[in-house]
Amino acid sequence: MMNYPVVSIGIGSYNNARYLVTLLDSVQAQTYPAIELIVVDDCSTDDSAEVIENWIKQTGYPVIFVQHEKNQGVVRTFSDCTQLANGQYVSLVGSDDVLDPDLIAQTVAEFDRRGPKCGAVYADCRLIDATGQEIAPSFLRYFNPTYADSPPEGNLIVPLLRGLYLPTLTTTVRREALEAVGPHDETLFSEDLDMWLRISRSFDFAYLPAVLGAYRVHDRSAIHTNKLALNETYFRIYRKGYFEGPEEWAAARHSLADHAEHYYASQGPEAPARLWFAFQETRLPKTALFWLMARLGVKYTALRRATGR
Protein backbone atom coordinates (compact mmCIF):
# COMPACT_ATOMS: atom_id res chain seq x y z
CA MET A 1 0.00 0.00 0.00
CA MET A 2 2.84 2.40 0.79
CA ASN A 3 4.03 2.19 -2.83
CA TYR A 4 0.68 3.26 -4.28
CA PRO A 5 -0.48 6.89 -4.45
CA VAL A 6 -3.88 7.33 -2.82
CA VAL A 7 -6.85 8.07 -5.06
CA SER A 8 -9.74 9.87 -3.38
CA ILE A 9 -13.16 8.98 -4.82
CA GLY A 10 -15.77 11.55 -3.82
CA ILE A 11 -19.43 10.67 -4.25
CA GLY A 12 -22.00 13.44 -4.27
CA SER A 13 -25.23 11.87 -3.03
CA TYR A 14 -28.72 13.29 -3.50
CA ASN A 15 -31.96 11.29 -3.73
CA ASN A 16 -30.48 8.33 -5.57
CA ALA A 17 -31.02 5.70 -2.89
CA ARG A 18 -31.99 3.00 -5.38
CA TYR A 19 -28.63 3.24 -7.18
CA LEU A 20 -26.25 3.78 -4.27
CA VAL A 21 -25.42 0.18 -3.40
CA THR A 22 -24.51 -0.57 -7.02
CA LEU A 23 -22.13 2.38 -7.06
CA LEU A 24 -20.62 1.68 -3.65
CA ASP A 25 -20.10 -1.96 -4.57
CA SER A 26 -18.29 -0.83 -7.73
CA VAL A 27 -15.93 1.29 -5.63
CA GLN A 28 -15.25 -1.63 -3.28
CA ALA A 29 -14.57 -3.84 -6.32
CA GLN A 30 -11.76 -1.63 -7.64
CA THR A 31 -8.58 -3.57 -8.32
CA TYR A 32 -6.47 -0.60 -7.22
CA PRO A 33 -5.47 -1.02 -3.56
CA ALA A 34 -5.13 2.56 -2.29
CA ILE A 35 -8.54 4.23 -2.40
CA GLU A 36 -10.00 6.79 -0.02
CA LEU A 37 -13.81 6.87 -0.30
CA ILE A 38 -15.68 10.05 0.61
CA VAL A 39 -19.47 10.32 0.47
CA VAL A 40 -21.28 13.63 1.00
CA ASP A 41 -25.06 13.43 1.13
CA ASP A 42 -26.75 16.72 0.27
CA CYS A 43 -29.69 16.39 2.67
CA SER A 44 -31.48 13.76 0.60
CA THR A 45 -35.22 13.46 1.17
CA ASP A 46 -35.26 9.75 0.38
CA ASP A 47 -33.45 7.06 2.42
CA SER A 48 -30.04 7.66 0.82
CA ALA A 49 -28.32 8.33 4.14
CA GLU A 50 -29.71 5.14 5.65
CA VAL A 51 -28.62 3.13 2.61
CA ILE A 52 -25.09 4.51 2.90
CA GLU A 53 -24.87 3.87 6.63
CA ASN A 54 -26.17 0.31 6.24
CA TRP A 55 -23.69 -0.39 3.44
CA ILE A 56 -20.81 0.85 5.61
CA LYS A 57 -21.92 -1.38 8.50
CA GLN A 58 -22.42 -4.43 6.32
CA THR A 59 -19.17 -4.18 4.36
CA GLY A 60 -16.84 -2.57 6.89
CA TYR A 61 -15.36 -0.56 4.04
CA PRO A 62 -13.72 2.66 5.33
CA VAL A 63 -15.75 5.71 4.32
CA ILE A 64 -15.63 9.38 5.23
CA PHE A 65 -19.36 10.08 5.37
CA VAL A 66 -20.76 13.61 5.71
CA GLN A 67 -24.41 14.64 5.75
CA HIS A 68 -25.49 18.20 4.95
CA GLU A 69 -28.11 19.55 7.33
CA LYS A 70 -29.72 21.45 4.46
CA ASN A 71 -29.50 21.13 0.69
CA GLN A 72 -26.41 22.91 -0.65
CA GLY A 73 -26.45 21.96 -4.34
CA VAL A 74 -24.18 19.77 -6.43
CA VAL A 75 -21.23 22.18 -6.63
CA ARG A 76 -20.99 22.67 -2.87
CA THR A 77 -21.38 18.92 -2.37
CA PHE A 78 -18.50 18.09 -4.71
CA SER A 79 -16.49 20.98 -3.29
CA ASP A 80 -16.82 19.36 0.13
CA CYS A 81 -15.66 16.05 -1.34
CA THR A 82 -12.59 17.76 -2.77
CA GLN A 83 -11.76 19.56 0.46
CA LEU A 84 -12.01 16.32 2.44
CA ALA A 85 -9.82 14.43 -0.04
CA ASN A 86 -6.28 13.51 0.97
CA GLY A 87 -5.30 11.57 -2.14
CA GLN A 88 -2.74 12.45 -4.79
CA TYR A 89 -5.55 12.06 -7.33
CA VAL A 90 -9.22 12.98 -6.99
CA SER A 91 -12.23 11.47 -8.78
CA LEU A 92 -15.75 12.90 -8.34
CA VAL A 93 -18.68 10.62 -9.09
CA GLY A 94 -22.44 11.06 -9.20
CA SER A 95 -24.43 8.78 -6.92
CA ASP A 96 -26.24 7.02 -9.77
CA ASP A 97 -23.19 5.99 -11.84
CA VAL A 98 -21.09 2.81 -11.88
CA LEU A 99 -17.31 2.31 -12.04
CA ASP A 100 -15.65 -0.59 -13.84
CA PRO A 101 -13.22 -2.56 -11.62
CA ASP A 102 -10.04 -1.45 -13.44
CA LEU A 103 -10.93 2.24 -13.77
CA ILE A 104 -8.65 3.57 -11.04
CA ALA A 105 -5.79 1.14 -11.72
CA GLN A 106 -5.68 2.04 -15.41
CA THR A 107 -6.04 5.75 -14.67
CA VAL A 108 -3.14 5.85 -12.22
CA ALA A 109 -0.98 3.92 -14.69
CA GLU A 110 -1.81 6.52 -17.33
CA PHE A 111 -0.79 9.34 -14.98
CA ASP A 112 2.52 7.55 -14.44
CA ARG A 113 3.09 7.28 -18.18
CA ARG A 114 2.24 10.91 -18.86
CA GLY A 115 4.21 12.62 -16.10
CA PRO A 116 3.56 15.69 -13.93
CA LYS A 117 2.37 17.95 -16.77
CA CYS A 118 -0.70 15.73 -17.03
CA GLY A 119 -3.36 17.28 -14.81
CA ALA A 120 -6.27 14.98 -15.66
CA VAL A 121 -6.99 11.65 -17.30
CA TYR A 122 -10.34 10.78 -18.84
CA ALA A 123 -11.78 7.63 -20.39
CA ASP A 124 -15.00 6.73 -22.16
CA CYS A 125 -17.97 5.04 -20.51
CA ARG A 126 -21.28 3.43 -21.39
CA LEU A 127 -24.74 4.96 -21.00
CA ILE A 128 -27.30 2.95 -19.04
CA ASP A 129 -30.91 3.51 -18.06
CA ALA A 130 -32.60 3.35 -14.67
CA THR A 131 -32.66 -0.45 -14.76
CA GLY A 132 -29.01 -0.79 -15.78
CA GLN A 133 -29.74 -1.65 -19.41
CA GLU A 134 -27.28 -0.22 -21.91
CA ILE A 135 -28.49 2.78 -23.92
CA ALA A 136 -25.28 3.41 -25.83
CA PRO A 137 -21.78 1.88 -25.74
CA SER A 138 -19.94 5.22 -25.84
CA PHE A 139 -20.62 8.41 -23.86
CA LEU A 140 -18.28 10.39 -26.13
CA ARG A 141 -20.00 9.25 -29.32
CA TYR A 142 -23.49 9.66 -27.87
CA PHE A 143 -23.06 13.28 -26.81
CA ASN A 144 -20.79 14.51 -29.61
CA PRO A 145 -19.59 12.11 -32.30
CA THR A 146 -17.26 14.82 -33.63
CA TYR A 147 -14.66 13.84 -31.03
CA ALA A 148 -15.44 10.15 -30.64
CA ASP A 149 -12.92 8.73 -33.11
CA SER A 150 -10.05 10.90 -31.94
CA PRO A 151 -10.69 12.26 -28.44
CA PRO A 152 -8.59 15.40 -27.91
CA GLU A 153 -5.71 15.70 -25.47
CA GLY A 154 -3.58 18.50 -24.05
CA ASN A 155 -5.34 21.86 -23.77
CA LEU A 156 -9.07 21.11 -24.12
CA ILE A 157 -10.43 24.65 -23.93
CA VAL A 158 -11.55 24.91 -27.57
CA PRO A 159 -12.96 21.35 -27.80
CA LEU A 160 -14.86 21.87 -24.53
CA LEU A 161 -16.36 25.10 -25.85
CA ARG A 162 -17.28 23.38 -29.11
CA GLY A 163 -19.24 20.63 -27.45
CA LEU A 164 -16.84 18.04 -26.07
CA TYR A 165 -18.42 16.45 -23.00
CA LEU A 166 -16.13 14.66 -20.58
CA PRO A 167 -17.72 11.88 -18.52
CA THR A 168 -17.08 13.08 -14.98
CA LEU A 169 -17.19 9.58 -13.50
CA THR A 170 -14.19 8.49 -15.61
CA THR A 171 -12.22 11.74 -15.26
CA THR A 172 -9.60 11.87 -12.50
CA VAL A 173 -7.61 14.97 -11.59
CA ARG A 174 -4.14 15.38 -10.12
CA ARG A 175 -4.24 17.12 -6.75
CA GLU A 176 -1.59 19.65 -7.82
CA ALA A 177 -3.87 20.74 -10.66
CA LEU A 178 -6.81 21.28 -8.31
CA GLU A 179 -4.66 23.27 -5.92
CA ALA A 180 -3.24 25.37 -8.76
CA VAL A 181 -6.61 26.45 -10.19
CA GLY A 182 -8.33 27.06 -6.87
CA PRO A 183 -11.65 25.88 -5.39
CA HIS A 184 -14.90 25.13 -7.16
CA ASP A 185 -17.01 28.14 -8.07
CA GLU A 186 -20.01 27.60 -5.82
CA THR A 187 -22.08 30.25 -7.63
CA LEU A 188 -22.49 27.80 -10.53
CA PHE A 189 -25.08 25.05 -10.83
CA SER A 190 -22.63 22.58 -12.39
CA GLU A 191 -18.96 22.34 -11.50
CA ASP A 192 -17.29 20.31 -14.22
CA LEU A 193 -17.00 22.58 -17.30
CA ASP A 194 -15.62 25.51 -15.32
CA MET A 195 -13.06 23.27 -13.61
CA TRP A 196 -11.98 21.54 -16.84
CA LEU A 197 -11.47 24.92 -18.56
CA ARG A 198 -9.36 26.26 -15.69
CA ILE A 199 -7.25 23.10 -15.48
CA SER A 200 -6.66 23.17 -19.25
CA ARG A 201 -5.01 26.55 -18.98
CA SER A 202 -2.05 25.12 -17.04
CA PHE A 203 -2.15 21.32 -17.38
CA ASP A 204 -2.66 18.70 -20.06
CA PHE A 205 -5.60 16.32 -20.30
CA ALA A 206 -4.84 12.74 -21.37
CA TYR A 207 -7.30 10.36 -23.00
CA LEU A 208 -7.22 6.75 -21.81
CA PRO A 209 -8.59 4.65 -24.70
CA ALA A 210 -10.96 2.41 -22.77
CA VAL A 211 -14.59 2.18 -21.66
CA LEU A 212 -14.41 2.09 -17.87
CA GLY A 213 -17.77 2.88 -16.34
CA ALA A 214 -21.45 3.51 -16.83
CA TYR A 215 -23.22 6.87 -16.82
CA ARG A 216 -26.83 6.46 -15.79
CA VAL A 217 -29.59 8.43 -17.51
CA HIS A 218 -33.04 8.51 -15.90
CA ASP A 219 -35.91 10.89 -15.28
CA ARG A 220 -34.09 12.63 -12.42
CA SER A 221 -30.84 13.20 -14.35
CA ALA A 222 -29.63 16.81 -14.52
CA ILE A 223 -29.72 16.73 -18.32
CA HIS A 224 -33.50 16.30 -18.05
CA THR A 225 -34.44 18.28 -14.94
CA ASN A 226 -32.08 21.27 -14.86
CA LYS A 227 -31.67 22.50 -18.44
CA LEU A 228 -32.19 26.16 -17.51
CA ALA A 229 -29.68 25.99 -14.67
CA LEU A 230 -27.11 24.35 -16.94
CA ASN A 231 -27.54 27.17 -19.45
CA GLU A 232 -27.20 29.74 -16.68
CA THR A 233 -23.93 28.10 -15.68
CA TYR A 234 -22.45 28.70 -19.13
CA PHE A 235 -23.52 32.36 -19.16
CA ARG A 236 -21.72 32.86 -15.86
CA ILE A 237 -18.61 31.07 -17.14
CA TYR A 238 -18.61 33.23 -20.29
CA ARG A 239 -18.85 36.44 -18.28
CA LYS A 240 -15.66 35.52 -16.43
CA GLY A 241 -13.87 36.32 -19.69
CA TYR A 242 -10.85 34.12 -19.10
CA PHE A 243 -10.51 33.04 -22.72
CA GLU A 244 -7.39 33.89 -24.69
CA GLY A 245 -6.77 34.43 -28.39
CA PRO A 246 -9.17 34.50 -31.36
CA GLU A 247 -9.75 30.74 -31.53
CA GLU A 248 -10.86 30.46 -27.90
CA TRP A 249 -13.05 33.55 -28.10
CA ALA A 250 -14.65 32.35 -31.36
CA ALA A 251 -15.47 29.00 -29.74
CA ALA A 252 -16.75 30.72 -26.59
CA ARG A 253 -19.06 33.01 -28.60
CA HIS A 254 -20.31 30.10 -30.70
CA SER A 255 -21.19 28.23 -27.52
CA LEU A 256 -22.82 31.36 -26.05
CA ALA A 257 -25.16 31.60 -29.04
CA ASP A 258 -26.06 27.91 -28.71
CA HIS A 259 -26.79 28.23 -25.00
CA ALA A 260 -28.93 31.32 -25.56
CA GLU A 261 -30.95 29.43 -28.19
CA HIS A 262 -31.36 26.43 -25.90
CA TYR A 263 -32.46 28.73 -23.07
CA TYR A 264 -35.12 30.21 -25.37
CA ALA A 265 -36.16 26.74 -26.52
CA SER A 266 -36.56 25.68 -22.86
CA GLN A 267 -38.86 28.68 -22.26
CA GLY A 268 -36.48 30.38 -19.89
CA PRO A 269 -38.07 33.44 -18.28
CA GLU A 270 -35.09 35.68 -19.12
CA ALA A 271 -34.82 34.58 -22.76
CA PRO A 272 -34.98 38.10 -24.29
CA ALA A 273 -32.17 39.37 -22.05
CA ARG A 274 -30.01 36.28 -22.64
CA LEU A 275 -30.51 36.43 -26.40
CA TRP A 276 -29.77 40.16 -26.52
CA PHE A 277 -26.54 39.66 -24.60
CA ALA A 278 -25.57 36.81 -26.92
CA PHE A 279 -26.34 38.94 -29.99
CA GLN A 280 -24.20 41.80 -28.70
CA GLU A 281 -21.33 39.38 -28.22
CA THR A 282 -21.73 37.43 -31.48
CA ARG A 283 -23.59 39.71 -33.93
CA LEU A 284 -25.24 36.62 -35.40
CA PRO A 285 -28.43 37.39 -37.39
CA LYS A 286 -30.02 34.15 -36.15
CA THR A 287 -29.58 35.24 -32.55
CA ALA A 288 -31.10 38.64 -33.35
CA LEU A 289 -34.14 36.89 -34.85
CA PHE A 290 -34.53 34.73 -31.75
CA TRP A 291 -34.30 37.83 -29.55
CA LEU A 292 -37.00 39.63 -31.53
CA MET A 293 -39.32 36.64 -31.43
CA ALA A 294 -38.76 36.20 -27.70
CA ARG A 295 -39.58 39.89 -27.14
CA LEU A 296 -42.81 39.41 -29.10
CA GLY A 297 -43.72 36.36 -27.03
CA VAL A 298 -43.35 33.88 -29.89
CA LYS A 299 -42.44 30.43 -28.61
CA TYR A 300 -39.37 28.70 -30.01
CA THR A 301 -41.36 25.70 -31.20
CA ALA A 302 -43.74 27.95 -33.17
CA LEU A 303 -40.80 29.75 -34.77
CA ARG A 304 -39.18 26.50 -35.80
CA ARG A 305 -42.45 25.29 -37.36
CA ALA A 306 -42.88 28.56 -39.26
CA THR A 307 -39.36 28.36 -40.70
CA GLY A 308 -39.63 24.65 -41.45
CA ARG A 309 -36.62 23.78 -39.27
Side-chain angles (χ1 to χ4, degrees):
M1 289 286 290
M2 293 179 63
N3 296 323
Y4 292 90
V6 173
V7 178
S8 298
I9 298 178
I11 296 173
S13 166
Y14 182 68
N15 284 358
N16 277 320
R18 63 180 293 194
Y19 308 120
L20 275 166
V21 170
T22 300
L23 170 60
L24 292 168
D25 284 348
S26 76
V27 174
Q28 186 181 26
Q30 290 299 301
T31 59
Y32 189 78
I35 289 176
E36 174 188 63
L37 177 57
I38 302 160
V39 182
V40 177
D41 184 77
D42 194 25
C43 195
S44 292
T45 57
D46 64 6
D47 60 344
S48 290
E50 182 180 354
V51 169
I52 295 164
E53 290 173 339
N54 287 339
W55 185 87
I56 294 171
K57 291 177 183 177
Q58 290 171 8
T59 64
Y61 195 86
V63 181
I64 299 171
F65 180 38
V66 175
Q67 294 176 260
H68 286 166
E69 294 183 358
K70 62 179 181 178
N71 185 262
Q72 302 287 326
V74 64
V75 179
R76 176 61 183 274
T77 300
F78 279 133
S79 178
D80 286 351
C81 287
T82 302
Q83 292 176 32
L84 290 166
N86 297 296
Q88 183 175 330
Y89 304 108
V90 179
S91 172
L92 301 177
V93 182
S95 54
D96 49 0
D97 298 325
V98 187
L99 310 183
D100 281 10
D102 287 335
L103 169 62
I104 300 302
Q106 290 196 39
T107 297
V108 172
E110 193 66 22
F111 272 114
D112 288 343
R113 283 193 291 270
R114 300 289 185 134
K117 178 64 176 174
C118 177
V121 171
Y122 74 99
D124 205 350
C125 66
R126 304 173 298 282
L127 269 72
I128 59 174
D129 64 15
T131 67
Q133 295 299 306
E134 185 176 291
I135 298 172
S138 168
F139 179 104
L140 296 175
R141 187 170 299 280
Y142 183 87
F143 283 105
N144 193 334
T146 302
Y147 298 103
D149 292 328
S150 183
E153 298 188 304
N155 183 326
L156 297 191
I157 291 177
V158 171
L160 287 166
L161 294 172
R162 291 198 174 277
L164 171 67
Y165 291 94
L166 299 187
T168 303
L169 74 149
T170 53
T171 303
T172 302
V173 180
R174 189 185 297 274
R175 168 172 291 282
E176 287 90 335
L178 289 172
E179 293 174 347
V181 303
H184 291 87
D185 182 347
E186 295 183 12
T187 68
L188 303 177
F189 170 78
S190 177
E191 82 295 340
D192 48 0
L193 177 60
D194 182 65
M195 185 59 72
W196 305 153
L197 290 169
R198 286 193 279 153
I199 290 173
S200 280
R201 181 65 67 205
S202 303
F203 294 87
D204 290 338
F205 277 71
Y207 172 63
L208 173 59
V211 177
L212 292 172
Y215 175 80
R216 194 184 301 272
V217 178
H218 52 90
D219 57 2
R220 294 185 57 84
S221 299
I223 59 173
H224 295 310
T225 61
N226 295 294
K227 291 181 180 179
L228 293 180
L230 291 169
N231 275 282
E232 168 65 20
T233 289
Y234 183 76
F235 274 82
R236 294 189 181 189
I237 290 172
Y238 182 88
R239 288 189 176 98
K240 291 183 179 185
Y242 50 37
F243 308 113
E244 297 178 359
E247 187 179 15
E248 287 185 17
W249 274 109
R253 293 186 178 108
H254 175 84
S255 186
L256 179 71
D258 282 349
H259 278 84
E261 179 178 349
H262 293 156
Y263 187 87
Y264 175 35
S266 299
Q267 302 182 48
E270 299 178 17
R274 300 287 171 82
L275 288 162
W276 181 246
F277 175 74
F279 172 67
Q280 288 181 308
E281 293 292 308
T282 64
R283 296 297 173 180
L284 290 174
K286 181 179 72 170
T287 306
L289 174 62
F290 289 145
W291 168 75
L292 178 60
M293 294 299 99
R295 283 289 303 272
L296 294 173
V298 178
K299 291 185 178 180
Y300 181 81
T301 51
L303 178 61
R304 293 296 294 266
R305 285 197 300 269
T307 59
R309 297 176 60 196

